[in-house]
Amino acid sequence: ERQLVESGGGLVQAGGSLRLSCEASGFAFDDYVIGWFRQAPGKEREGVASINSVDGHTYYADSDSMKGRFTISMNNAKNTVYLHMSSLKPEDTAVYSCAATRRILNVELLLRLWVPLDYWGQGTQVTVSS
């Protein structure tokens, strides 16, 4: 079965770091754009960061709350995209999910969810305690 599998979430204290993983299972990230999204309880889903597997181009949400603390990267050989999160804050608590599409290879459009998606993962919970 072709799917995205997220991992790496958990409970962390404020100020700590986590690395989330999004692995393609049953297919390869040969020509996809992949993005990370998060949704906190009672809030709308928001884009975090996206990356183009072809040229490595990245795009980050224009968010003061996340700026400079989150980094997206990928290991093509492992078909895995990572989200490195540092200086975590309680307001970063959310379910983090990844999504991918090969229909339109535009990192900004993906993060804005303005393109049809091919895959959407189940998500991994990140909880930051104060």
Side-chain angles (χ1 to χ4, degrees), residues 13 20 25 45 51 84 94 106 108:
Q13 288 188 332
L20 306 183
S25 177
R45 180 185 294 123
I51 189 167
H84 306 259
N106 185 296
E108 180 176 356

Side-chain angles (χ1 to χ4, degrees), residues 5-7 25 27 42 49 51 53-54 60-61 72 86 90 96 103 129:
V5 181
E6 299 100 332
S7 61
S25 177
F27 69 102
I51 189 167
S53 69
V54 177
Y60 292 89
I72 191 170
S86 62
Y96 287 72
R103 306 187 198 193
S129 63

Side-chain angles (χ1 to χ4, degrees), residues 17-38:
S17 301
L18 280 177
R19 187 185 76 168
L20 306 183
S21 299
C22 171
E23 182 179 4
S25 177
F27 69 102
F29 279 147
D30 288 338
D31 52 355
Y32 282 83
V33 288
I34 306 99
W36 281 101
F37 301 82
R38 71 181 186 180

Side-chain angles (χ1 to χ4, degrees), residues 42 55 70 88 124 129:
D55 59 15
F70 293 179
L88 284 163
T124 184
S129 63

